[in-house]
Amino acid sequence: MPIVALLTDYGAVDSYVSEVKAVILRYRRDVQLVDISHEVGRYNVLEAAFVLRCASKTFPEDTVFLCVVDPGVGSHRKGLVINTSSGKRFVGPDNGLMYPAAEEEGVEEVCSIDVGRLNVEISQTFHGRDVFAHVVGMMISGKSLGDVLQPFSEYVRLELPRPDIGAGRVTCQILHVDRFGNSITNLHQSQIPANLGFFDVHLKGRNIGRIPLAHYYSAVNPGEPLFLVGGTGYLELAVNGGSAADRFRIKAGDRLILTYQGLPPSL
Amino acid sequence: MPIVALLTDYGAVDSYVSEVKAVILRYRRDVQLVDISHEVGRYNVLEAAFVLRCASKTFPEDTVFLCVVDPGVGSHRKGLVINTSSGKRFVGPDNGLMYPAAEEEGVEEVCSIDVGRLNVEISQTFHGRDVFAHVVGMMISGKSLGDVLQPFSEYVRLELPRPDIGAGRVTCQILHVDRFGNSITNLHQSQIPANLGFFDVHLKGRNIGRIPLAHYYSAVNPGEPLFLVGGTGYLELAVNGGSAADRFRIKAGDRLILTYQGLPPSL
Amino acid sequence: MPIVALLTDYGAVDSYVSEVKAVILRYRRDVQLVDISHEVGRYNVLEAAFVLRCASKTFPEDTVFLCVVDPGVGSHRKGLVINTSSGKRFVGPDNGLMYPAAEEEGVEEVCSIDVGRLNVEISQTFHGRDVFAHVVGMMISGKSLGDVLQPFSEYVRLELPRPDIGAGRVTCQILHVDRFGNSITNLHQSQIPANLGFFDVHLKGRNIGRIPLAHYYSAVNPGEPLFLVGGTGYLELAVNGGSAADRFRIKAGDRLILTYQGLPPSL
């Protein structure tokens, strides 16, 4: 049974996601349709790219990812199918959304979608349903995509911002604030100095003090802030039983400067 | 594998939707359960009817739709099964919710549900689980509904409001505001004059100016309003990268007067 | 086809739920994954325990429930598998969350999970994915859990608060406020005096007046409050077409004193 995982900014209020699924089911019914999220920040390609890269790692290797955060829908941006060496495949718009996840799996072949050859009616604003769902349906039902797909090399290579790591000082960025207000940075656990007890933290010019680095939320008292490595594998700023985003007024995109005693692991 | 599509106003916070699914799964397990939406406006039968009509078109023809927006639950309103000529079937309360969608598919036979013959315990407030899910379960598992269903002709025929189309002037109504703030009217694309570049727009007595008619969101500058035909096939008022509903303080039910140079397609 | 029902406080914005499902699908693909709710109050074990107990009753008897509301994740709290006499099984943290539901089904055997024997990489903060999903995957795919599970008797026995029932007076508690603002108490329908027409109600020291006990919402005029037994089987305070929670400023945990003429059913 094939697995199709969906990531969009379509939201849960509307019927858009169900229409995407309805098209896929017209090609094949015994399929596991898994929602990654449909509530990523509207049109926020960077945040969605981060969420996709984190989530896609956990899926089985033959999963097809249908991804739509698509501010340019209807314009000349192309649609893509990306095959990776792990076997995972990504279908969605060419705006960088899928690139960080695909790169992690090893980009093997990128094709653009020739919508004219799909032989379906295509609206100007809903390519998730009218283009990408058809391509996914054909892929999982063994239908030949024939000349719908054309090798393509000029695709958008979106790089997630990297932390700036120096001796005693890291500048990192909040890439995602989760439902709990946990503020997830772009500093991977492999980039955190060993045996560190705390960071001194500056956020947007404010010194917000010394915050311990712990292993789990309840390692500090309720209401106290902490750093820890979350399920994503990245450093996050949290508050035990509370919201770091509310407490420190953090939103995705904000920069943190962390200073500490010692050397970074990469030096 | 049968497909059951669900539309309710039960929301995602509570467990109600899962209980509806649990009952269906007691009849048959290999079924695709697809959520259309559970976040339509509470008790808003008109909005839900519009969302259902738009979404149901995309589904395969043997889909069973279980629909519950049901302010009259527990009162004397009946439950219905509507069979259509396309093959799609609709199960839910007799309050008009399913009528516009069923009419689009061609109403073939309407039956009322005799809850007394279902032989299940029925709460006064949760017919989605206690009545409609059982009926759907029996339908998809090939169980005879026997005399549970009775032909019925006095069902509610809800008509979605139609636009008033005159020479140079259309009065239409916002039927749904989506997650993006796109404000979807009841003016179908077939009713839009050809070769039109813009509309002059009055909203609730205010002149909100001249707004271009475009093919996709990014055809105008970020932050600029536009009209376009969305994935629903209806004219919508949008703001590129923003929210038309916020910008113009629009909500479902609001009326728009559009004036333009030329003749409507129907004259 | 096995059924796995999921209840968490992970929310719909993030990809956490999808990662839990992705792990389960690595063990077995033909499985019905049903979301009970992922929006219960953050870290609110009591509310989640109530929602779980209400919802789990409706599911088929071989359902496996994966439950995560887990403020103590990463600390020394154990993970549990609870087998019940009905056949339903519960997998999640040992904080009482699953106890009221399991007790209702008849607790048969409780085991703790020895995470060291799972042979998987385990984060400190995401046991839903790294521990419980693996255990569920092994259970539904027939893999032996061998010595991963150890009989355990010192588990947390969370009791949902019980109403205090006296002659002419009941003190009860709001356990859950649903999407509609219906405020669900812990007074079961079997504990409501027969033939009662109304309650006189005190809420947090305020007398909020005499409120009728009805059978369905539209039994009172729109905007009027009422008591009724909802789909959960418990007494709830509602407003026809409105929100009792907004009207009376109620939240989960609030206490209601109901006085009436007559004797309670238990005396």
Side-chain angles (χ1 to χ4, degrees):
Chain A
M1 193 184 279
I3 298 170
V4 175
L6 302 103
L7 175 77
T8 76
D9 62 355
Y10 289 161
V13 182
D14 305 299
S15 64
Y16 301 136
V17 172
S18 75
E19 295 185 54
V20 171
K21 293 177 179 174
V23 169
I24 295 172
L25 293 173
R26 273 148 57 178
Y27 289 89
R28 180 167 179 165
R29 283 163 185 232
D30 61 326
V31 51
Q32 272 288 358
L33 298 167
V34 181
D35 301 301
I36 295 178
S37 171
H38 301 293
E39 304 281 344
V40 292
R42 185 190 169 190
Y43 294 157
N44 192 334
V45 174
L46 190 66
E47 185 183 17
F50 179 72
V51 169
L52 179 62
R53 192 180 66 178
C54 292
S56 57
K57 277 188 270 189
T58 310
F59 278 81
E61 312 227 307
D62 58 346
T63 302
V64 178
F65 296 88
L66 192 165
C67 314
V68 195
V69 176
D70 195 9
V73 63
S75 69
H76 295 297
R77 73 102 189 88
K78 291 188 181 296
L80 297 183
V81 173
I82 308 181
N83 295 319
T84 69
S85 4
S86 72
K88 295 176 190 171
R89 290 171 289 176
F90 297 85
V91 180
D94 179 23
N95 59 17
L97 168 61
M98 308 182 291
Y99 184 71
E103 197 192 19
E104 187 111 340
E105 306 290 330
V107 174
E108 206 169 77
E109 189 194 18
V110 180
C111 291
S112 67
I113 299 167
D114 185 342
V115 296
R117 294 180 190 270
L118 267 179
N119 273 327
V120 295
E121 210 187 323
I122 295 174
S123 72
Q124 297 282 355
T125 56
F126 195 2
H127 286 194
R129 177 191 65 191
D130 298 336
V131 175
F132 304 129
H134 284 281
V135 171
V136 168
M138 294 168 83
M139 286 165 72
I140 63 168
S141 62
K143 278 214 168 46
S144 164
L145 277 152
D147 44 13
V148 170
L149 299 186
Q150 322 271 347
F152 183 64
S153 58
E154 301 304 300
Y155 53 88
V156 177
R157 286 153 179 88
L158 177 76
E159 302 284 348
L160 295 176
R162 291 165 200 273
D164 179 20
I165 303 176
R169 181 188 168 106
V170 174
T171 305
C172 58
Q173 196 174 332
I174 303 298
L175 290 193
H176 179 55
V177 173
D178 77 11
R179 184 199 183 201
F180 299 101
N182 299 326
S183 300
I184 302 166
T185 74
N186 56 348
L187 191 70
H188 192 260
Q189 54 189 340
S190 62
Q191 299 170 315
I192 302 172
N195 305 316
L196 211 63
F198 57 83
F199 286 114
D200 292 306
V201 186
H202 281 76
L203 168 69
K204 295 182 286 187
R206 281 179 291 144
N207 180 346
I208 61 171
R210 178 162 289 186
I211 296 179
L213 181 57
H215 286 301
Y216 49 91
Y217 301 109
S218 53
V220 300
N221 288 326
E224 292 295 315
L226 72 157
F227 280 104
L228 83 175
V229 174
T232 56
Y234 288 86
L235 185 76
E236 59 187 61
L237 178 56
V239 166
N240 182 21
S243 163
D246 288 351
R247 165 83 162 264
F248 300 114
R249 276 164 289 137
I250 293 173
K251 53 182 202 313
D254 285 351
R255 234 164 272 272
L256 286 179
I257 299 174
L258 312 177
T259 52
Y260 60 94
Q261 315 293 327
L263 292 176
S266 55
L267 293 185
Chain B
M1 193 184 279
I3 298 171
V4 175
L6 301 103
L7 175 77
T8 76
D9 62 355
Y10 289 161
V13 182
D14 304 299
S15 64
Y16 301 136
V17 173
S18 75
E19 295 185 54
V20 171
K21 293 178 179 174
V23 169
I24 295 172
L25 293 173
R26 273 148 57 178
Y27 289 89
R28 180 167 179 164
R29 283 162 184 234
D30 61 326
V31 50
Q32 271 288 357
L33 298 166
V34 181
D35 301 301
I36 295 178
S37 171
H38 302 293
E39 304 280 345
V40 291
R42 185 190 169 191
Y43 295 157
N44 193 333
V45 174
L46 190 65
E47 185 183 17
F50 178 72
V51 169
L52 179 63
R53 192 180 65 178
C54 292
S56 57
K57 277 189 270 189
T58 310
F59 278 81
E61 312 226 307
D62 58 346
T63 302
V64 177
F65 295 88
L66 192 164
C67 314
V68 195
V69 176
D70 195 9
V73 64
S75 69
H76 294 297
R77 73 101 189 88
K78 292 188 181 294
L80 297 183
V81 173
I82 308 181
N83 295 320
T84 68
S85 6
S86 73
K88 295 175 190 172
R89 290 172 289 175
F90 297 84
V91 180
D94 178 23
N95 59 17
L97 167 61
M98 308 182 292
Y99 184 70
E103 197 192 20
E104 187 111 341
E105 306 291 331
V107 174
E108 206 170 77
E109 189 193 18
V110 180
C111 291
S112 66
I113 299 167
D114 184 342
V115 296
R117 294 180 190 270
L118 266 179
N119 272 327
V120 295
E121 210 187 324
I122 295 174
S123 71
Q124 297 282 356
T125 56
F126 195 1
H127 285 194
R129 177 191 66 192
D130 298 336
V131 175
F132 304 129
H134 284 280
V135 171
V136 168
M138 293 168 83
M139 286 165 72
I140 63 168
S141 62
K143 279 213 168 47
S144 164
L145 277 152
D147 45 14
V148 170
L149 300 186
Q150 322 271 347
F152 183 64
S153 59
E154 301 304 300
Y155 53 88
V156 177
R157 286 154 178 87
L158 177 76
E159 301 284 347
L160 295 177
R162 291 166 199 272
D164 179 20
I165 303 177
R169 181 188 168 106
V170 174
T171 305
C172 58
Q173 195 174 332
I174 303 298
L175 290 192
H176 179 55
V177 173
D178 77 10
R179 184 199 183 201
F180 299 101
N182 299 326
S183 300
I184 302 165
T185 74
N186 56 348
L187 191 71
H188 192 261
Q189 55 189 340
S190 62
Q191 300 170 314
I192 302 172
N195 305 315
L196 211 63
F198 56 83
F199 287 113
D200 292 306
V201 186
H202 281 76
L203 168 69
K204 295 182 286 188
R206 281 179 291 143
N207 179 346
I208 61 171
R210 177 161 290 186
I211 296 179
L213 180 57
H215 286 301
Y216 49 91
Y217 301 109
S218 53
V220 301
N221 288 326
E224 292 295 315
L226 72 157
F227 280 104
L228 83 175
V229 174
T232 56
Y234 288 85
L235 185 76
E236 59 187 63
L237 178 55
V239 166
N240 181 21
S243 163
D246 288 351
R247 165 82 161 264
F248 300 114
R249 277 164 288 137
I250 293 173
K251 53 183 202 314
D254 285 351
R255 234 164 270 272
L256 286 179
I257 299 174
L258 312 178
T259 52
Y260 61 94
Q261 315 293 328
L263 292 176
S266 55
L267 294 185
Chain C
M1 194 184 279
I3 299 170
V4 176
L6 301 104
L7 175 76
T8 76
D9 63 355
Y10 290 161
V13 183
D14 304 299
S15 64
Y16 301 136
V17 172
S18 75
E19 296 185 53
V20 171
K21 293 177 179 173
V23 169
I24 295 171
L25 294 174
R26 273 148 56 179
Y27 289 89
R28 180 166 179 165
R29 284 164 183 230
D30 61 326
V31 51
Q32 272 288 358
L33 299 166
V34 181
D35 300 301
I36 295 178
S37 171
H38 302 293
E39 304 280 345
V40 291
R42 184 190 169 191
Y43 294 157
N44 192 334
V45 174
L46 190 66
E47 185 183 16
F50 178 73
V51 169
L52 179 62
R53 192 179 66 178
C54 292
S56 56
K57 277 188 270 189
T58 310
F59 278 81
E61 311 227 307
D62 59 345
T63 302
V64 178
F65 296 87
L66 193 165
C67 314
V68 195
V69 176
D70 195 9
V73 63
S75 69
H76 295 297
R77 73 101 189 89
K78 291 187 181 295
L80 297 183
V81 173
I82 308 181
N83 295 320
T84 69
S85 5
S86 73
K88 295 176 190 172
R89 290 171 290 175
F90 297 85
V91 180
D94 178 22
N95 59 16
L97 167 61
M98 308 182 291
Y99 183 71
E103 197 192 19
E104 187 111 340
E105 305 291 331
V107 174
E108 205 169 78
E109 188 194 18
V110 180
C111 292
S112 68
I113 299 167
D114 184 342
V115 296
R117 294 180 190 270
L118 266 179
N119 273 327
V120 295
E121 210 187 323
I122 295 174
S123 72
Q124 297 282 355
T125 56
F126 195 1
H127 286 193
R129 177 191 65 192
D130 298 336
V131 175
F132 304 129
H134 284 280
V135 170
V136 168
M138 293 167 83
M139 286 164 72
I140 63 167
S141 62
K143 278 213 168 48
S144 164
L145 277 152
D147 44 14
V148 170
L149 299 186
Q150 322 272 348
F152 183 65
S153 59
E154 300 304 299
Y155 53 88
V156 177
R157 285 154 178 87
L158 177 76
E159 302 284 348
L160 295 177
R162 291 167 199 272
D164 180 20
I165 303 177
R169 181 188 168 105
V170 174
T171 305
C172 58
Q173 196 174 331
I174 303 298
L175 290 193
H176 179 56
V177 174
D178 77 10
R179 184 200 183 200
F180 299 101
N182 299 326
S183 300
I184 302 165
T185 74
N186 56 348
L187 190 71
H188 192 261
Q189 54 188 341
S190 62
Q191 299 169 315
I192 302 173
N195 305 316
L196 211 64
F198 56 83
F199 286 114
D200 292 306
V201 186
H202 280 76
L203 168 69
K204 294 183 288 187
R206 281 180 292 144
N207 179 345
I208 61 171
R210 178 162 289 186
I211 295 179
L213 180 57
H215 286 301
Y216 48 91
Y217 301 110
S218 53
V220 301
N221 288 326
E224 291 296 314
L226 72 157
F227 280 103
L228 83 175
V229 174
T232 57
Y234 288 86
L235 185 76
E236 58 187 63
L237 178 55
V239 166
N240 182 21
S243 163
D246 288 352
R247 165 83 162 264
F248 300 114
R249 277 164 289 137
I250 292 173
K251 53 182 202 313
D254 285 351
R255 235 164 271 272
L256 286 180
I257 299 174
L258 312 178
T259 52
Y260 61 95
Q261 314 292 328
L263 292 176
S266 56
L267 293 185

